[in-house]
Amino acid sequence: MSETENNLVCVFCGSYDGNDPIYINAATALGRELVKSGYGLVYGGGTRGLMGRVARSVHDNNGQVVGIMPRALMSAEGCADEVGKMIVVESMHQRKSMMNDRASAFIALPGGFGTLEELLEITTWSLLSIHSKPVIVLNINGYYSALKDMVDTAVNAGFVSASNKNIVVFCDSPEDAVAAIKSYVPPSSRFGLNWEPKVPV
Amino acid sequence: MSETENNLVCVFCGSYDGNDPIYINAATALGRELVKSGYGLVYGGGTRGLMGRVARSVHDNNGQVVGIMPRALMSAEGCADEVGKMIVVESMHQRKSMMNDRASAFIALPGGFGTLEELLEITTWSLLSIHSKPVIVLNINGYYSALKDMVDTAVNAGFVSASNKNIVVFCDSPEDAVAAIKSYVPPSSRFGLNWEPKVPV
Ligand SMILES: [Mg+2]
């Protein structure tokens, strides 16, 4: 990671805009809030949907954008080389591993199966002590309220501890989501595992 | 993959039993139903919680068990070498990639963040045409009803297509979950991507 890539926040989000302008507005506002607080963006590298909205907003507000794009997805998601530095990789796994290496925090905007998976993977990596970075869900328009219910069900049924539930912080606005990066405290109840010689994911 | 590893079903589930016996009973019944229908099990390899229950049940019913365990997790999850063949790997990613290679279908029992992530990852891999295998959720006791709501929210908000929603099939009983393997039809709306030279994940 180069010195010029400090303070990047990884944003997970959909490659569609959604059918209510509230989602586009949230992505645009999140990009602005990130730059206002001194953060750049690392993300999947696409131009489509909310991925493109948040990247363009960071770029338009003079923030740094780093995109990490698997070659096979370039045609499906577009490649945003006009808004930042694009890195082309060969697999989904390399994309996620490189985003994790570069990010100092993670924020999820609305998205589909891929976004849900990225969010839950980075949550699981925290649970396994692979990282201790903030994991924040921007629950705009109540989009992620059902996921919050799913986590509550898992806690109530005994599959997630009440403390580990706090690995993920749910926020209602882009301002709160960015503020939550600084106030984040990783739960001390997470597993203390030994991934040697280097943390593999 | 050896000839003796045909017809393995990959089960994702928690390393806790949950606090209602309905979950243990579902895991045990699922193991029995898998063997009754001619399937063996490939799974994370642990002895704890529902992971151990389903593996022991398949073994007790004379079915084949293959476990794939990251070295760093052996102490946290136990290693079920008394119920089947255990393969020790170095990373979470190797575990998931090897389970995917060996499985002819996927079933999720209740579990925590790791189980949710495995389920959503294998769903995303289907969306990306990395595989076309059945993805089935055993929604025992309504455990996964909030996840079903999350998927519905994603469809209604325009982040998942109504057709791609059907990548994941929700079933209420172990019998229905095993029967759903044979009747599964992968949605034709999934992306037709080109992962060359070999599908990387
Ligand atoms: Mg994953």
Side-chain angles (χ1 to χ4, degrees):
Chain A
M1 184 178 350
S2 78
E3 233 181 314
T4 55
E5 279 188 21
N6 282 328
N7 253 351
L8 299 183
V9 171
C10 179
V11 174
F12 302 130
C13 60
S15 55
Y16 295 95
D17 277 335
N19 53 25
D20 186 317
I22 199 168
Y23 301 119
I24 294 175
N25 293 341
T28 303
L30 179 62
R32 191 176 57 236
E33 292 299 320
L34 285 172
V35 177
K36 202 192 281 182
S37 295
Y39 297 108
L41 173 73
V42 58
Y43 83 120
T47 54
R48 308 257 166 96
L50 299 189
M51 291 181 90
R53 304 286 177 178
V54 68
R56 191 148 309 126
S57 174
V58 170
H59 178 73
D60 289 349
N61 286 280
N62 302 309
Q64 185 183 15
V65 174
V66 178
I68 305 186
M69 174 62 72
R71 191 178 307 278
L73 279 177
M74 287 177 75
S75 60
E77 295 187 350
C79 193
D81 45 16
E82 75 279 14
V83 299
K85 177 167 95 178
M86 290 298 124
I87 301 170
V88 177
V89 297
E90 299 307 320
S91 73
M92 295 299 281
H93 182 64
Q94 276 177 291
R95 171 195 259 181
K96 290 189 285 189
S97 181
M98 289 180 76
M99 292 197 300
N100 178 45
D101 285 347
R102 283 171 167 75
S104 52
F106 304 90
I107 298 179
L109 276 166
F113 290 126
T115 302
L116 283 166
E117 188 272 330
E118 288 173 307
L119 167 62
L120 286 159
E121 181 159 82
I122 215 65
T123 301
T124 302
W125 289 1
S126 174
L127 180 69
L128 297 175
S129 305
I130 291 172
H131 75 83
S132 301
K133 301 167 186 175
V135 179
I136 295 152
V137 169
L138 179 37
N139 188 21
I140 197 79
N141 202 29
Y143 184 81
Y144 281 117
S145 293
L147 181 65
K148 199 162 184 283
D149 290 345
M150 183 68 246
V151 175
D152 287 339
T153 298
V155 171
N156 294 334
F159 291 101
V160 170
S161 75
S163 166
N164 283 336
K165 169 181 158 171
N166 298 318
I167 293 172
V168 186
V169 174
F170 288 79
C171 295
D172 294 331
S173 72
E175 295 78 1
D176 289 354
V178 174
I181 297 173
K182 293 219 163 69
S183 58
Y184 187 84
V185 180
S188 58
S189 51
R190 300 171 309 142
F191 301 142
L193 300 177
N194 186 20
W195 296 96
E196 291 288 354
K198 174 195 173 293
V199 167
V201 287
Chain B
M1 184 177 352
S2 79
E3 231 180 313
T4 56
E5 280 187 19
N6 281 329
N7 253 352
L8 299 183
V9 171
C10 180
V11 175
F12 302 130
C13 59
S15 54
Y16 296 96
D17 276 335
N19 53 25
D20 187 317
I22 199 168
Y23 301 119
I24 294 176
N25 294 341
T28 303
L30 179 62
R32 191 176 56 237
E33 292 299 321
L34 284 172
V35 177
K36 203 192 281 182
S37 295
Y39 298 108
L41 173 72
V42 58
Y43 83 121
T47 55
R48 309 256 165 96
L50 299 188
M51 291 180 90
R53 304 286 176 179
V54 68
R56 190 148 309 125
S57 175
V58 169
H59 178 74
D60 289 349
N61 287 282
N62 302 309
Q64 186 182 14
V65 175
V66 177
I68 305 187
M69 172 62 71
R71 192 178 305 279
L73 278 177
M74 287 177 75
S75 61
E77 295 187 350
C79 192
D81 44 16
E82 75 278 14
V83 299
K85 177 166 96 178
M86 291 298 126
I87 301 169
V88 178
V89 297
E90 299 307 320
S91 73
M92 295 298 282
H93 181 66
Q94 276 178 291
R95 172 195 258 182
K96 291 189 287 190
S97 181
M98 289 180 75
M99 292 197 300
N100 178 46
D101 284 346
R102 282 169 169 74
S104 52
F106 304 90
I107 297 180
L109 276 166
F113 289 127
T115 302
L116 282 166
E117 187 270 330
E118 289 173 306
L119 167 61
L120 285 158
E121 181 160 82
I122 215 65
T123 302
T124 303
W125 289 1
S126 175
L127 180 68
L128 297 175
S129 305
I130 291 172
H131 74 84
S132 302
K133 301 167 185 174
V135 179
I136 294 153
V137 170
L138 178 37
N139 188 21
I140 196 81
N141 202 28
Y143 184 81
Y144 281 117
S145 294
L147 181 66
K148 200 163 184 281
D149 290 345
M150 182 71 244
V151 175
D152 288 338
T153 298
V155 171
N156 293 334
F159 291 101
V160 170
S161 75
S163 166
N164 283 335
K165 169 181 158 173
N166 298 320
I167 293 172
V168 186
V169 174
F170 288 80
C171 294
D172 293 331
S173 72
E175 295 77 0
D176 288 354
V178 174
I181 297 173
K182 293 218 163 72
S183 58
Y184 187 85
V185 181
S188 59
S189 51
R190 301 170 308 143
F191 300 142
L193 300 177
N194 187 20
W195 297 96
E196 290 290 354
K198 173 195 172 293
V199 168
V201 288

